[in-house]
Structures are given as C-alpha cells and as structure tokens.
Amino acid sequence: MAREMKDSGVAWIGEIPKSWAISRIKNEFLNLDNLREPISAEKRDNKLGLYDYYGASGVIDKMDQYNVDDTVLLIGEDGANLRMRNLPLIYRASGKFWVNNHAHILKVKPDNSYSYMAYLLETGDYSVYITGSAQPKLSQFNLMNFKIVVPPVSEQEIIAKYLDTQCAEIDAVLDKTRTSIEEYKKLKQAIITQAVTKGVRGDRPMKESGIEWISEIPAEWKIYWGKRLFYETNERSEAGNEELLTVSHLTGITPRSQKNVNMFMSESLVGYKVCHVGDIATNTMWMWQGAIGVSAYHGVISPSYNTYRQRSEAFDSQYLDYLLRIRPLVDMYNACSTGITASRLRLYPEQFLSFKFPVPPMEEQREIVCNLGDKVGEVNTLIQKKERFLAELETYKKSLIYEYVTGKKEVDQYD
C-alpha cells in the first residue's frame, strides 16, 4: 500500500511522505566555518590538496598540517563550478585534514544520519541560493537557510544503508567504465605516436634520430631544430572582435564558445594575441601537461600565451598537431619547463625552439594523417559510446538517490 504524501512546499523537493518534516540546514547541522584558513602558497605549491577546484577544496593528507579533526561534509562556497556542477559539490571528509576558505564545513547533528544527509545535500537545487554571476557564491547565510527534508532518523538510516549498497554497485560499474575509457585513450595515444614517429608503411630502413624523445625514425625522414622550422609571432588584436580561443592539454585549440570554461573572461580582447589558421599556440603555464596545438581557427588567445608560425611549410597542419601533442614530446615539455614548483612551471620560446623535430616528406605526412583519421576515428567512437553510457549511469544514480532521499520511493523491507 502506497504511503500518504503531502506537498513539501519546496520546489526541488516536491512531495514527501506525510510523516516527514521540512527543516533548514541550520537546524540539522553545526557550521564549523570558523576552522577554515585561506589557502597559502606553501600549501598550494606543495600539492597538499587531494582535490582543488572552485568549490569545496583544501583536504590534505599531512597529519601534521590540519585544521579539522572530525567527520564532516564540505560544501563549495564560491567559483563557477557552483553553477556548472561539472564536479561534485559535496564531499564527505573524516579524520585530520585542512580546509581552505573556499569550502563550508558542516557537521551533522547526532540525531541525524551522516550518510543520509550527505546523499540529500548532493541532490539539492541550490540555484536560487547562489548569488553573483562573474563569481558565483553560496554564502554561509544562504547555505544555512537552505530548506531540506528530514525523515525520522530510523528511516534515514534505512535509506542510507540501501543507497550505500546500490551506489556501491553503480560505482563499481562507473569505475570499470572510466578505466576502460582511459585504456582506450592510451591506445589512441600509442597509435598516434607510432604513426607520427615511425610512419605507417610497415617494415622499412630506419636510422638513429639523434632526438632525445625518439629512438629511430625512417631513414628518409629529415631532422631540424625547432628554430629552423618555426618562429615566434606577437601580432595583437586592435579591435578585439576576433573569436576567443582556448588552448588545452585535452582538446588542443578550440573556440571558447564550444567549451564550459570555469575561468573569468576579460571585458575586452584588445591586445590579445592573434592566432591564424595553421599557427601553433601554447598555453605557457600548462605546456608541461601538453597544452599546445595547431589552430584550425582564426581568433585570439591570452596575451600570456605563445604563438608560433612555420617558416617554410615543412609540415602538414594536421600532422603537426598530432606530433606536437604525443606523450614523448609532452614529457620533454615537462622536463624542460622551468619553475620552483609544478604550479609555476613554464616552457618559454627559447626552450621550445631548441627542440629537434622529425620531418617526413609531405606526401607521407598526408598519408599518415589519412591513416590516423580512420584509426583514431574508430577509437574515438568507442570512447564516445562509453562516455555516453557513463553519463547515463551517473544520471540514473542521481535520480535513484533523489527518489529515495525525498521519499518518492520507499525501501522495500525485503531489499
């Protein structure tokens, strides 16, 4: 027999069982924000954070550096992720850890289930409680007044136990799928690296490359210093009406409009560096991760980035884009970058132009590009299929949690 329901009066919650109550976070949690500390350069540069983004951040694994020793929930206070929600907003944290001032700290009161409350808060719709657009913020006042549903603690514990079991099974599948996706990405990288450094013509005479990041290359391929192949450009936008481009280690060069970028945008693009079709653009701060590519777009990039152009069209643009982003070369970017810590590593033009590069005959470059188009396309199709499954399963998990924590579904006594 279905239990009797009532309107909660809260839009994101909807109907709830008649015996359940509506409350506010301030009535069910203790706020421990007074324990937070602003992030310091030392903590950031020593990589003490187990996770770090605009939202909940600041947990460390150093037992001698902590400001919290408890079992709590961390909730993002500010940053674009509050609106994008492309990363979790709620983190469960227990033990000794450090929390910076970008995260709220909530301790569940003893008469509630910690696990149930964690599930509940992750499903919440905080949109009307978040203020600001350029820098979204979930203030302490708004958070503490956020309305939640509170079942009797006995039901909270039943729901939490059921969801722990169900979510563990779903998480196992999610983890397996993520691992499979990473394996396919590694396979794709291996295919590309083999093709751009050895060609696609099978067994053939090889020679020592004399290049630190490649052993042998086909005998007829040539080798040149980067400064013989490229030169740095510094053209600036006068009107600022070009399309803004981003340079990522994941996607290369793409229009910002095609990406969800959690970064602030300048009011004017005047003075930004112009990037023409075929130019190389690098994110100087993230070159050590491989933030480089050959642009298929005309636009502008950040003034702090670097742009380069071919001296004599030695490379097919697509071949060059593949080449510049392979793992062995990215490892060289990392090794040759300078800086005190990882967050300050930079690869400057003098280092980039001092690298040696293999140059296959143009006909063979285009042959390699054609070959990779088919093989990489097949792997990308498999990756996309798994990513769709991942997204669908994550959506199902969120829906499952929501249905039970708000009482739309009841845990069967035989489950």
Side-chain angles (χ1 to χ4, degrees), residues 37-55:
E37 294 178 18
I39 189 168
S40 69
E42 179 184 2
K43 288 184 172 70
R44 181 179 62 246
D45 293 338
N46 287 337
K47 293 186 173 180
L48 298 180
L50 295 180
Y51 55 91
D52 188 8
Y53 64 99
Y54 284 110

PDB file of all heavy atoms in Angstrom, residues 37-55:
ATOM      1  N   GLU A  37      40.925  28.098   6.889  1.00  0.00           N
ATOM      2  CA  GLU A  37      42.051  29.009   6.711  1.00  0.00           C
ATOM      3  C   GLU A  37      42.184  29.343   5.236  1.00  0.00           C
ATOM      4  O   GLU A  37      41.984  28.471   4.381  1.00  0.00           O
ATOM      5  CB  GLU A  37      43.358  28.357   7.168  1.00  0.00           C
ATOM      6  CG  GLU A  37      43.443  28.062   8.642  1.00  0.00           C
ATOM      7  CD  GLU A  37      44.747  27.380   9.004  1.00  0.00           C
ATOM      8  OE1 GLU A  37      45.685  27.450   8.195  1.00  0.00           O
ATOM      9  OE2 GLU A  37      44.809  26.780  10.090  1.00  0.00           O
ATOM     10  N   PRO A  38      42.537  30.575   4.903  1.00  0.00           N
ATOM     11  CA  PRO A  38      42.797  30.921   3.490  1.00  0.00           C
ATOM     12  C   PRO A  38      43.907  30.045   2.936  1.00  0.00           C
ATOM     13  O   PRO A  38      44.835  29.661   3.648  1.00  0.00           O
ATOM     14  CB  PRO A  38      43.224  32.392   3.559  1.00  0.00           C
ATOM     15  CG  PRO A  38      42.674  32.884   4.854  1.00  0.00           C
ATOM     16  CD  PRO A  38      42.722  31.719   5.797  1.00  0.00           C
ATOM     17  N   ILE A  39      43.816  29.725   1.662  1.00  0.00           N
ATOM     18  CA  ILE A  39      44.847  28.895   1.029  1.00  0.00           C
ATOM     19  C   ILE A  39      46.159  29.672   0.975  1.00  0.00           C
ATOM     20  O   ILE A  39      46.184  30.861   0.649  1.00  0.00           O
ATOM     21  CB  ILE A  39      44.427  28.450  -0.382  1.00  0.00           C
ATOM     22  CG1 ILE A  39      45.403  27.418  -0.928  1.00  0.00           C
ATOM     23  CG2 ILE A  39      44.285  29.632  -1.319  1.00  0.00           C
ATOM     24  CD1 ILE A  39      44.895  26.730  -2.178  1.00  0.00           C
ATOM     25  N   SER A  40      47.246  29.021   1.310  1.00  0.00           N
ATOM     26  CA  SER A  40      48.560  29.664   1.273  1.00  0.00           C
ATOM     27  C   SER A  40      49.358  29.125   0.100  1.00  0.00           C
ATOM     28  O   SER A  40      49.105  28.026  -0.395  1.00  0.00           O
ATOM     29  CB  SER A  40      49.326  29.385   2.569  1.00  0.00           C
ATOM     30  OG  SER A  40      49.689  28.023   2.644  1.00  0.00           O
ATOM     31  N   ALA A  41      50.325  29.908  -0.348  1.00  0.00           N
ATOM     32  CA  ALA A  41      51.170  29.478  -1.465  1.00  0.00           C
ATOM     33  C   ALA A  41      51.906  28.192  -1.114  1.00  0.00           C
ATOM     34  O   ALA A  41      52.079  27.310  -1.962  1.00  0.00           O
ATOM     35  CB  ALA A  41      52.165  30.584  -1.823  1.00  0.00           C
ATOM     36  N   GLU A  42      52.314  28.064   0.141  1.00  0.00           N
ATOM     37  CA  GLU A  42      53.055  26.868   0.557  1.00  0.00           C
ATOM     38  C   GLU A  42      52.194  25.621   0.429  1.00  0.00           C
ATOM     39  O   GLU A  42      52.612  24.610  -0.127  1.00  0.00           O
ATOM     40  CB  GLU A  42      53.527  27.013   1.999  1.00  0.00           C
ATOM     41  CG  GLU A  42      54.294  25.795   2.506  1.00  0.00           C
ATOM     42  CD  GLU A  42      54.669  25.911   3.974  1.00  0.00           C
ATOM     43  OE1 GLU A  42      54.297  26.927   4.598  1.00  0.00           O
ATOM     44  OE2 GLU A  42      55.311  24.985   4.472  1.00  0.00           O
ATOM     45  N   LYS A  43      50.964  25.707   0.926  1.00  0.00           N
ATOM     46  CA  LYS A  43      50.074  24.546   0.838  1.00  0.00           C
ATOM     47  C   LYS A  43      49.762  24.207  -0.616  1.00  0.00           C
ATOM     48  O   LYS A  43      49.734  23.058  -1.029  1.00  0.00           O
ATOM     49  CB  LYS A  43      48.790  24.807   1.618  1.00  0.00           C
ATOM     50  CG  LYS A  43      48.955  24.786   3.127  1.00  0.00           C
ATOM     51  CD  LYS A  43      47.606  24.953   3.793  1.00  0.00           C
ATOM     52  CE  LYS A  43      47.693  24.730   5.308  1.00  0.00           C
ATOM     53  NZ  LYS A  43      48.401  25.786   6.013  1.00  0.00           N
ATOM     54  N   ARG A  44      49.508  25.250  -1.427  1.00  0.00           N
ATOM     55  CA  ARG A  44      49.163  25.025  -2.827  1.00  0.00           C
ATOM     56  C   ARG A  44      50.333  24.444  -3.609  1.00  0.00           C
ATOM     57  O   ARG A  44      50.204  23.458  -4.327  1.00  0.00           O
ATOM     58  CB  ARG A  44      48.714  26.343  -3.466  1.00  0.00           C
ATOM     59  CG  ARG A  44      48.305  26.195  -4.941  1.00  0.00           C
ATOM     60  CD  ARG A  44      47.852  27.527  -5.523  1.00  0.00           C
ATOM     61  NE  ARG A  44      48.903  28.511  -5.502  1.00  0.00           N
ATOM     62  CZ  ARG A  44      48.869  29.627  -4.759  1.00  0.00           C
ATOM     63  NH1 ARG A  44      47.837  29.860  -3.979  1.00  0.00           N
ATOM     64  NH2 ARG A  44      49.869  30.487  -4.787  1.00  0.00           N
ATOM     65  N   ASP A  45      51.524  25.029  -3.456  1.00  0.00           N
ATOM     66  CA  ASP A  45      52.659  24.616  -4.255  1.00  0.00           C
ATOM     67  C   ASP A  45      53.242  23.279  -3.819  1.00  0.00           C
ATOM     68  O   ASP A  45      53.906  22.603  -4.591  1.00  0.00           O
ATOM     69  CB  ASP A  45      53.750  25.692  -4.229  1.00  0.00           C
ATOM     70  CG  ASP A  45      53.303  26.968  -4.928  1.00  0.00           C
ATOM     71  OD1 ASP A  45      52.386  26.868  -5.748  1.00  0.00           O
ATOM     72  OD2 ASP A  45      53.854  28.042  -4.653  1.00  0.00           O
ATOM     73  N   ASN A  46      52.998  22.898  -2.572  1.00  0.00           N
ATOM     74  CA  ASN A  46      53.459  21.598  -2.118  1.00  0.00           C
ATOM     75  C   ASN A  46      52.455  20.492  -2.427  1.00  0.00           C
ATOM     76  O   ASN A  46      52.612  19.355  -1.993  1.00  0.00           O
ATOM     77  CB  ASN A  46      53.736  21.622  -0.609  1.00  0.00           C
ATOM     78  CG  ASN A  46      55.002  22.386  -0.285  1.00  0.00           C
ATOM     79  OD1 ASN A  46      55.877  22.527  -1.136  1.00  0.00           O
ATOM     80  ND2 ASN A  46      55.098  22.893   0.930  1.00  0.00           N
ATOM     81  N   LYS A  47      51.429  20.850  -3.167  1.00  0.00           N
ATOM     82  CA  LYS A  47      50.415  19.888  -3.607  1.00  0.00           C
ATOM     83  C   LYS A  47      49.772  19.154  -2.426  1.00  0.00           C
ATOM     84  O   LYS A  47      49.602  17.945  -2.451  1.00  0.00           O
ATOM     85  CB  LYS A  47      51.016  18.869  -4.590  1.00  0.00           C
ATOM     86  CG  LYS A  47      51.429  19.453  -5.921  1.00  0.00           C
ATOM     87  CD  LYS A  47      51.874  18.356  -6.852  1.00  0.00           C
ATOM     88  CE  LYS A  47      52.116  18.902  -8.243  1.00  0.00           C
ATOM     89  NZ  LYS A  47      52.549  17.864  -9.175  1.00  0.00           N
ATOM     90  N   LEU A  48      49.430  19.895  -1.391  1.00  0.00           N
ATOM     91  CA  LEU A  48      48.823  19.266  -0.240  1.00  0.00           C
ATOM     92  C   LEU A  48      47.360  18.921  -0.493  1.00  0.00           C
ATOM     93  O   LEU A  48      46.794  18.103   0.210  1.00  0.00           O
ATOM     94  CB  LEU A  48      48.941  20.176   0.985  1.00  0.00           C
ATOM     95  CG  LEU A  48      50.376  20.485   1.434  1.00  0.00           C
ATOM     96  CD1 LEU A  48      50.356  21.383   2.648  1.00  0.00           C
ATOM     97  CD2 LEU A  48      51.110  19.203   1.751  1.00  0.00           C
ATOM     98  N   GLY A  49      46.751  19.561  -1.477  1.00  0.00           N
ATOM     99  CA  GLY A  49      45.341  19.307  -1.737  1.00  0.00           C
ATOM    100  C   GLY A  49      45.114  17.965  -2.404  1.00  0.00           C
ATOM    101  O   GLY A  49      45.761  17.632  -3.374  1.00  0.00           O
ATOM    102  N   LEU A  50      44.171  17.176  -1.860  1.00  0.00           N
ATOM    103  CA  LEU A  50      43.779  15.947  -2.532  1.00  0.00           C
ATOM    104  C   LEU A  50      42.838  16.274  -3.688  1.00  0.00           C
ATOM    105  O   LEU A  50      42.676  15.498  -4.609  1.00  0.00           O
ATOM    106  CB  LEU A  50      43.089  15.008  -1.545  1.00  0.00           C
ATOM    107  CG  LEU A  50      43.967  14.493  -0.403  1.00  0.00           C
ATOM    108  CD1 LEU A  50      43.156  13.579   0.502  1.00  0.00           C
ATOM    109  CD2 LEU A  50      45.161  13.744  -0.958  1.00  0.00           C
ATOM    110  N   TYR A  51      42.176  17.398  -3.612  1.00  0.00           N
ATOM    111  CA  TYR A  51      41.404  17.911  -4.734  1.00  0.00           C
ATOM    112  C   TYR A  51      41.417  19.418  -4.622  1.00  0.00           C
ATOM    113  O   TYR A  51      41.551  19.980  -3.541  1.00  0.00           O
ATOM    114  CB  TYR A  51      39.976  17.370  -4.758  1.00  0.00           C
ATOM    115  CG  TYR A  51      39.200  17.595  -3.489  1.00  0.00           C
ATOM    116  CD1 TYR A  51      38.427  18.744  -3.324  1.00  0.00           C
ATOM    117  CD2 TYR A  51      39.237  16.668  -2.472  1.00  0.00           C
ATOM    118  CE1 TYR A  51      37.717  18.954  -2.169  1.00  0.00           C
ATOM    119  CE2 TYR A  51      38.518  16.871  -1.302  1.00  0.00           C
ATOM    120  CZ  TYR A  51      37.765  18.004  -1.160  1.00  0.00           C
ATOM    121  OH  TYR A  51      37.054  18.212  -0.014  1.00  0.00           O
ATOM    122  N   ASP A  52      41.304  20.093  -5.759  1.00  0.00           N
ATOM    123  CA  ASP A  52      41.418  21.548  -5.739  1.00  0.00           C
ATOM    124  C   ASP A  52      40.699  22.125  -6.948  1.00  0.00           C
ATOM    125  O   ASP A  52      41.112  21.925  -8.078  1.00  0.00           O
ATOM    126  CB  ASP A  52      42.893  21.964  -5.769  1.00  0.00           C
ATOM    127  CG  ASP A  52      43.061  23.467  -5.546  1.00  0.00           C
ATOM    128  OD1 ASP A  52      42.055  24.125  -5.226  1.00  0.00           O
ATOM    129  OD2 ASP A  52      44.184  23.951  -5.719  1.00  0.00           O
ATOM    130  N   TYR A  53      39.589  22.802  -6.742  1.00  0.00           N
ATOM    131  CA  TYR A  53      38.886  23.460  -7.818  1.00  0.00           C
ATOM    132  C   TYR A  53      38.025  24.544  -7.184  1.00  0.00           C
ATOM    133  O   TYR A  53      37.952  24.660  -5.972  1.00  0.00           O
ATOM    134  CB  TYR A  53      38.027  22.476  -8.617  1.00  0.00           C
ATOM    135  CG  TYR A  53      36.908  21.841  -7.833  1.00  0.00           C
ATOM    136  CD1 TYR A  53      35.609  22.321  -7.935  1.00  0.00           C
ATOM    137  CD2 TYR A  53      37.154  20.773  -6.980  1.00  0.00           C
ATOM    138  CE1 TYR A  53      34.594  21.745  -7.195  1.00  0.00           C
ATOM    139  CE2 TYR A  53      36.137  20.202  -6.243  1.00  0.00           C
ATOM    140  CZ  TYR A  53      34.868  20.686  -6.356  1.00  0.00           C
ATOM    141  OH  TYR A  53      33.855  20.125  -5.636  1.00  0.00           O
ATOM    142  N   TYR A  54      37.359  25.330  -8.016  1.00  0.00           N
ATOM    143  CA  TYR A  54      36.483  26.354  -7.470  1.00  0.00           C
ATOM    144  C   TYR A  54      35.237  25.691  -6.907  1.00  0.00           C
ATOM    145  O   TYR A  54      34.303  25.356  -7.604  1.00  0.00           O
ATOM    146  CB  TYR A  54      36.097  27.370  -8.552  1.00  0.00           C
ATOM    147  CG  TYR A  54      37.205  28.325  -8.864  1.00  0.00           C
ATOM    148  CD1 TYR A  54      37.876  28.264 -10.080  1.00  0.00           C
ATOM    149  CD2 TYR A  54      37.595  29.274  -7.938  1.00  0.00           C
ATOM    150  CE1 TYR A  54      38.905  29.139 -10.367  1.00  0.00           C
ATOM    151  CE2 TYR A  54      38.625  30.157  -8.211  1.00  0.00           C
ATOM    152  CZ  TYR A  54      39.273  30.082  -9.432  1.00  0.00           C
ATOM    153  OH  TYR A  54      40.291  30.944  -9.709  1.00  0.00           O
ATOM    154  N   GLY A  55      35.237  25.487  -5.654  1.00  0.00           N
ATOM    155  CA  GLY A  55      34.190  24.782  -4.943  1.00  0.00           C
ATOM    156  C   GLY A  55      34.842  24.222  -3.706  1.00  0.00           C
ATOM    157  O   GLY A  55      35.823  24.742  -3.215  1.00  0.00           O
TER     158      GLY A  55
END
